[in-house]
Amino acid sequence: MNSYREITQAAAWDIMQHEKGFVILDVRRPEEYAGGHIKGAVNVPLETIDGREIPELPDKDQEILVYCRSGVRSKQAAGKLAAQGYEKIEEFGGILTWPYGTVK
């Protein structure tokens, strides 16, 4: 069984600032995403992660940084992605406590 890592928001921010090749994944509903999200994030709502291929996430070896509103859905999504064979999943909680700014 594949698993995911929980990282701090500071660690996620550090990756976003200094690394390349990762994807930021927002697993909230589209209307929540539209209300404000982390710059560069792609929106794949939790309820759409159901075992099918995910067009937004074609590379199962790519580093994926997962967040939601409060951290509950991001943990569920990270577990589902791990079960689908994604290898480098890092879950960093919710946007409610994200101190580094958002865009609309």
Side-chain angles (χ1 to χ4, degrees):
M1 174 71 191
N2 291 327
S3 63
Y4 65 91
R5 284 190 331 145
E6 289 183 37
I7 61 173
T8 65
Q9 292 187 332
W13 179 247
D14 189 63
I15 291 166
M16 292 173 197
Q17 297 305 300
H18 300 105
E19 295 184 22
K20 291 183 172 17
F22 59 85
V23 62
I24 305 166
L25 182 63
D26 184 322
V27 297
R28 298 175 300 155
R29 292 184 303 278
E31 60 273 16
E32 292 176 286
Y33 177 85
H37 55 272
I38 295 172
K39 186 177 181 181
V42 297
N43 184 216
V44 179
L46 170 64
E47 48 277 2
T48 68
I49 302 172
D50 58 5
R52 291 175 293 154
E53 289 298 313
I54 303 168
E56 296 87 349
L57 304 172
D59 182 357
K60 293 196 173 180
D61 291 323
Q62 184 175 34
E63 185 173 22
I64 303 171
L65 303 172
V66 186
Y67 76 96
C68 63
R69 189 183 72 88
S70 66
V72 174
R73 285 176 283 177
S74 57
K75 287 177 178 53
Q76 293 172 346
K80 286 180 163 190
L81 290 168
Q84 283 184 226
Y86 288 88
E87 299 286 339
K88 296 177 186 157
I89 307 156
E90 290 164 329
E91 185 275 328
F92 65 95
I95 201 167
L96 286 179
T97 54
W98 180 253
Y100 305 103
T102 59
V103 297
K104 288 189 179 180

